[in-house]
Amino acid sequence: MRIEIDKDLCCGAGTCVLLAPDVFDQNDEDGTVILLDATPGAEQRAAVEEAVVRCPTAVISIM
Amino acid sequence: MGRLVTGLQTARTVLGDTRFSSLPAGKRSPVKVPGSELSTDALPPGMFVNMDPPEHTRYRRLLSKHFTIRRVRELRPRIQEMTDRLLDEMESADGPVDLVQAFAKPLPTLVTSELLGLPETDRAQFGQHVDVLFSLSSSGEEMQQSMMGLGGMLHALIAAARKDPGPDILGRLTVETDLTDEELLGITIVLLIAGLETTTNMLALGTYALLRHPEQLAALRADWSLMDDAVEELLRYLSVVQIGPIRVAAEDFEFEGQSIRKGEVVTVSLPAANRDPLGFDDPDSLDIRRGATRHVAFGSGPHQCMGHHLARLELSIGYESLLRRFPRLELAVPAEEVGTREMMVTYGVLGLPVRW
């Protein structure tokens, strides 16, 4: 699984950080997403897929 | 004429598509209720809810850092302390009390006051102004007076933050950004509108919903680890923001097989979307175990509520502390005598007499 993010669209809701804290973090300066792990293991797939669905601005893609 | 969006997926798509503009020009509310009058004037400085990207993005990014998960989690002990103090006072009353006045209103007011750096000595007066502005029964004259009173307090607060910036949001914004006083005023008003009435109504209406569904309440009391799921389900089931978000088409375009014309007004119904049978099984039932995480109670898209982590924290601390403190909490009047806010943008109960 490889993850891509479109940071320009990020509104800093932090939903992804709540769901998959090992994969995503939030920038302390503007709240936008920081991708901690672009190629997480299979055990993260369900959490990342949920983050894709719940991200309010559709920032996250699984390639 | 206008369009009403009632489906969950379409609501998300509309709110995520900035061709549906948030600018005030041309926006109209589908129904006339207090608080729904929309300005067609020029953009007030700092009122970022009425902006599109990139202007909206600029304000949002300046503010988002104050509402990250990390920052909100740091507030937990303080919110718990405020909650416990309010419950102490409520308990000492020892009789039926109105939960709205004793708890649901003061808690978000205290939290917001602290975030904005409002001195303790000003909080009672601040609460009174807010009360008048959000009340159904206020006269035009009272509203005007409170508006001026609140405006004066906020101007004084901004001036004080410039002179001696504290660790609160206003203090930080004066130091870390080049926002003008007018922009800070607009931002502060947005934070007040977004954070006070919504949370107050969720706290009171959510408690009412649990009291009216004793089997759900019993399940929660038997297993407090259901609290986060219960908060999500109450947010979905109650959807206190009844009217809007409202958007206006910025151009002609095809959308989900329909021709949208520039200037058309599109209103999203969050309560309808949150009870879309395609999104939730048996959507009209309150079921705290359903894991209702995909609701749109906080909206969606770039304007999704920035304070959602804070709201969730206030609700989970508020419900759990209240229910644990009063194991026999019950309505002090027959359920059908509890009045609801039928004609307001934010739904809720007018009062909630409870005893224990």
Side-chain angles (χ1 to χ4, degrees):
Chain A
M1 171 171 59
R2 188 165 60 81
I3 299 171
E4 286 190 2
I5 52 174
D6 184 348
K7 210 174 153 163
D8 289 346
L9 290 179
C10 181
C11 69
T15 304
C16 55
V17 188
L18 193 68
L19 293 167
D22 294 331
V23 179
F24 304 104
D25 197 2
Q26 235 175 331
N27 186 329
D28 282 330
E29 288 312 304
D30 62 8
T32 54
V33 61
I34 297 170
L35 187 56
L36 296 174
D37 184 355
T39 54
E43 75 285 356
Q44 294 287 344
R45 178 168 277 277
V48 172
E49 283 176 351
E50 185 68 10
V52 170
V53 174
R54 284 177 56 194
C55 172
T57 46
V59 165
I60 309 161
S61 316
I62 300 176
M63 311 311 279
Chain B
M1 283 294 284
R3 291 169 187 266
L4 185 69
V5 177
T6 57
L8 180 66
Q9 193 48 53
T10 306
R12 280 182 196 284
T13 313
V14 166
L15 294 174
D17 187 334
T18 49
R19 290 175 300 181
F20 294 105
S21 166
S22 296
L23 296 177
K27 265 204 267 181
R28 292 183 312 277
S29 173
V31 287
K32 284 280 164 243
V33 296
S36 75
E37 294 84 7
L38 294 163
S39 156
T40 51
D41 298 332
L43 276 180
M47 300 276 270
F48 56 97
V49 285
N50 292 324
M51 293 179 189
D52 288 333
E55 289 78 14
H56 168 263
T57 315
R58 172 180 167 248
Y59 288 104
R60 177 103 187 183
R61 295 213 165 146
L62 292 176
L63 285 164
S64 284
K65 64 185 291 185
H66 300 286
F67 295 93
T68 61
I69 293 187
R70 231 185 321 272
R71 291 298 297 277
V72 168
R73 282 183 181 150
E74 288 167 8
L75 297 171
R76 176 181 273 281
R78 192 66 190 118
I79 296 175
Q80 185 68 59
E81 207 178 301
M82 293 171 176
T83 303
D84 291 342
R85 207 186 323 156
L86 288 170
L87 293 174
D88 288 345
E89 284 170 28
M90 187 170 143
E91 196 172 9
S92 69
D94 191 38
V97 301
D98 176 6
L99 191 77
V100 175
Q101 296 302 332
F103 185 63
K105 201 172 273 184
L107 181 59
T109 309
L110 285 172
V111 172
T112 308
S113 302
E114 185 138 315
L115 286 178
L116 292 175
L118 194 72
E120 297 241 6
T121 45
D122 289 349
R123 289 184 187 179
Q125 202 193 353
F126 171 75
Q128 282 164 14
H129 288 318
V130 170
D131 261 12
V132 171
L133 290 175
F134 287 152
S135 165
L136 272 172
S137 55
S138 303
S139 69
E141 198 181 329
E142 286 170 325
M143 292 268 233
Q144 182 103 29
Q145 274 179 3
S146 279
M147 196 92 82
M148 301 222 340
L150 189 62
M153 289 190 83
L154 296 179
H155 273 297
L157 191 61
I158 291 164
R162 286 233 184 267
K163 213 169 143 203
D164 182 17
D168 51 88
I169 293 181
L170 266 183
R172 299 272 304 276
L173 287 174
T174 59
V175 174
E176 294 169 1
T177 71
D178 54 4
L179 292 166
T180 65
D181 286 0
E182 286 305 304
E183 288 176 307
L184 288 174
L185 182 67
I187 287 168
T188 309
I189 291 170
V190 170
L191 296 184
L192 292 180
I193 293 171
L196 290 178
E197 211 188 8
T198 47
T199 319
T200 290
N201 284 306
M202 269 308 298
L203 278 170
L205 193 63
T207 305
Y208 181 53
L210 288 172
L211 291 174
R212 295 203 66 178
H213 293 82
E215 74 297 344
Q216 298 288 317
L217 180 55
L220 184 57
R221 284 192 184 282
D223 180 3
W224 294 108
S225 74
L226 289 171
M227 196 67 237
D228 287 348
D229 284 343
V231 167
E232 295 309 314
E233 174 65 351
L234 289 167
L235 285 163
R236 179 198 74 84
Y237 180 76
L238 300 170
S239 305
V240 294
V241 177
Q242 294 281 295
I243 296 162
I246 301 170
R247 300 286 185 258
V248 58
E251 55 188 272
D252 292 345
F253 60 102
E254 291 296 309
F255 178 81
E256 295 191 353
Q258 307 213 26
S259 296
I260 306 286
R261 307 302 300 267
K262 181 177 178 175
E264 252 187 286
V265 178
V266 178
T267 299
V268 178
S269 171
L270 300 180
N274 278 340
R275 295 197 182 196
D276 179 352
L278 296 176
F280 306 96
D281 291 336
D282 193 12
D284 292 331
S285 312
L286 178 72
D287 176 4
I288 61 169
R289 293 188 183 86
R290 78 162 74 231
T293 50
R294 296 185 183 183
H295 64 76
V296 286
F298 292 108
S300 189
H303 287 275
Q304 184 194 275
C305 175
M306 193 164 54
H308 68 122
H309 296 304
L310 177 62
R312 287 177 158 114
L313 185 63
E314 286 180 62
L315 293 176
S316 70
I317 291 178
Y319 294 140
E320 182 166 343
S321 306
L322 173 74
L323 295 171
R324 279 180 184 269
R325 178 72 68 105
F326 304 111
R328 287 187 297 278
L329 189 75
E330 60 179 10
L331 291 177
V333 295
E336 46 300 347
E337 283 178 24
V338 174
T340 50
R341 297 159 49 94
E342 303 292 335
M343 285 303 291
M344 298 294 278
V345 171
T346 314
Y347 187 62
V349 290
L350 296 172
L352 194 70
V354 293
R355 63 182 169 224
W356 49 88

